[in-house]
Amino acid sequence: MKPLNLHCVIFPHTCQYCPFITCHNRKTMSKTVFLLVIFHLLVDVRFFVYGVVDEYRRDDFPDEFVFGSGTSAYQVEGAVLEDGRSFSIWDTFAHSGVPSYHGKNGDIACDGYHKYKEDIQLIADTGLEAYRFSISWSRLIPSGRGSVNLKGLQFYNDFINRLLAHGIEPHVTLHHFDLPQILADEYGGWTSKKSVKDFVAYADVCFREFGDRVLHWTTFNEGNMFALGGYDYGFSPPGRCSFPFGFHCSKGNSTIEPYLVAHHSLLAHASAVRLYRQKYKAMQHGFVGMNILGFWFEPYTNTMEDVKAAQRASDFYSGWFLNPLVNGDYPEIMKRNAGNRIPTFTKLESESIKGSFDFLGINHYSTLYAKDNSISLEMDTRDVDADMAVRYTFGKGNEIIPPQFPVAPLGLQKLLNYVKEEYGNPPIYIHENGQQLPHNGTLMDTPRVEYLHAYIGALLDAVRNGSNTKGYFVWSFLDLFEVIDGYTSSYGLYYVDMDDKELTRYPKLSARWYADFLKGKNVSTIIPNYMVKDSFSSSR
Ligand SMILES: *[C@@H]1O[C@H](CO)[C@@H](O)[C@H](O)[C@H]1NC(C)=O
Ligand SMILES: *[C@@H]1O[C@H](CO)[C@@H](O)[C@H](O)[C@H]1NC(C)=O
Ligand SMILES: *[C@@H]1O[C@H](CO)[C@@H](O)[C@H](O)[C@H]1NC(C)=O
Ligand SMILES: *[C@@H]1O[C@H](CO)[C@@H](O)[C@H](O)[C@H]1NC(C)=O
């Protein structure tokens, strides 16, 4: 049996890539929206229920906790060849005919490069306390290394200054799937250790130029998904993979590249942190962290095999990065199953990675069931999925997946509790959390409001239960160019009509709901009656 690729489960509308599941065409998929209610009746209600249904408000969180929302450079800026910017690997990927992008790309996106003044006004009007965005490396340093593009520098300086003028904290990501293409051409990008040096030089420029005003730096967005999506499955930039894994890439090697790329990302991260601590920390007093995509995994059954599978899934997804960052090495199970395909850290590297963070960033969307698939370990050639030996489902005995995530806020509580107990309760920012819905023009995104209400409530429970979580960011502020499917789905608080030349931003219900919350109002929401409080729910 072939392993069931996680992304095929989560983004079934991209399933023309997914050889291991029945592929519904788009028309069928849109029908599944209407099957949603049926889905909710079919899934195991013991798990997919709200953990929290109470009213709560901003004041229930500590004062120093920050609430915000975010975007990333390639996804909103557009202006891809303007004012000296060069292509990143994401530009190249988007122009390579990715089926789920339907011929679209980020050439214009939300035109954020030109509309940033009005966007920052909107950010302020919404009442965001912090804003998460990323710097486009190829806009700041178009040759990948060397001279700084003054136009790019000016853009980000003005962006940061305007946020600060409105009292909004900038939280900046350095690498959001967008290495300069020129470095990929020169030496293979993140598959080569040469990337480490160039990344640190780029980080140095950012700390030097912006660090007097930016206190929160994230080196990598979703280090784990960048390695998996980009180099094993091949359906996120740079789109590399090899047969029989991934989705018909022309180049790549799914058996070794994901491990190499993760390894180099960790080394680059640790070197950037060392640089910050030696050169900038005393003057700037900022914080540097790394971000991963963090799911919560429930065992499919309570058999020992599935319980171990869920643990293995956590080790391969989160432990891959968290274990080196906290303990200085990869989880034992990864080293055992990947053998000599996973690189080893020298003693010096291990020491430099261990403790090289001031916070961890977690992007959390949903919970999955994990089912043992140990048979994949018998394959002669294995990728990360086969080494992990887990199959995933959103529900039980149900292959119909709606285009939106099941609302499983208890999974967030469990994940935060797991990080607390397993990794010494480090400071955490939930950098992304939000509901995927069709990008179809409706401003009544009630399912998103329900989702956010449930997850922020769960977060409050987790904080009250001792999690050291310090902030939360809704993904995303605007409808933007999504990494998996371009403009097909949306997560935005604000709707953007990509066919309208003006690219006007319209507030959705979720923007109004979040603004009410941020302005201190009690929030409660319509709780659909198929969501019932269950025995797992913790009480407040
Ligand atoms: C707000 O919610 C709290 C519970 O979190 C409740 O005790 C209080 O009465 C509510 N206040 C208003 C004005 O509704
Ligand atoms: C991937 O790399 C390994 C190790 O270098 C090699 O044995 C294998 O043949 C490569 N696979 C492909 C598809 O190139
Ligand atoms: C858009 O998607 C929502 C689901 O979020 C659905 O309820 C609505 O009917 C759709 N609207 C159109 C015009 O297709
Ligand atoms: C709350 O924290 C305790 C102690 O770490 C833990 O045993 C418990 O499972 C946590 N509850 C939740 C809902 O995470």
Side-chain angles (χ1 to χ4, degrees), residues 103-148:
K104 303 288 167 66
N105 53 55
D107 284 3
I108 298 172
C110 303
D111 199 24
Y113 187 70
H114 297 111
K115 289 178 168 287
Y116 71 101
K117 291 175 190 170
E118 63 178 88
D119 283 343
I120 290 173
Q121 188 60 51
L122 211 52
I123 290 164
D125 293 346
T126 312
L128 302 189
E129 301 156 10
Y131 192 67
R132 175 175 180 258
F133 63 98
S134 75
I135 290 175
S136 161
W137 182 347
S138 65
R139 192 182 294 289
L140 192 64
I141 308 175
S143 316
R145 75 173 79 84
S147 61
V148 173

Side-chain angles (χ1 to χ4, degrees), residues 410 412-418 420-421 461-462 464-467 536-538:
L410 197 58
L412 176 59
Q413 275 177 261
K414 290 184 178 184
L415 176 67
L416 291 174
N417 194 60
Y418 178 77
K420 177 178 85 179
E421 290 180 356
D461 276 350
R464 286 179 169 166
N465 200 31
S467 165
F536 288 144
S537 306
S538 62

Side-chain angles (χ1 to χ4, degrees), residues 1 11 94 119 160 203 207 249 254 271 275 313 337 381 458 463 479 492 506:
M1 200 196 316
F11 303 103
D119 283 343
I160 292 163
F207 298 152
C249 308
S254 298
S271 302
L275 172 82
N337 291 7
T381 322
V463 169
D479 287 344
Y506 302 91

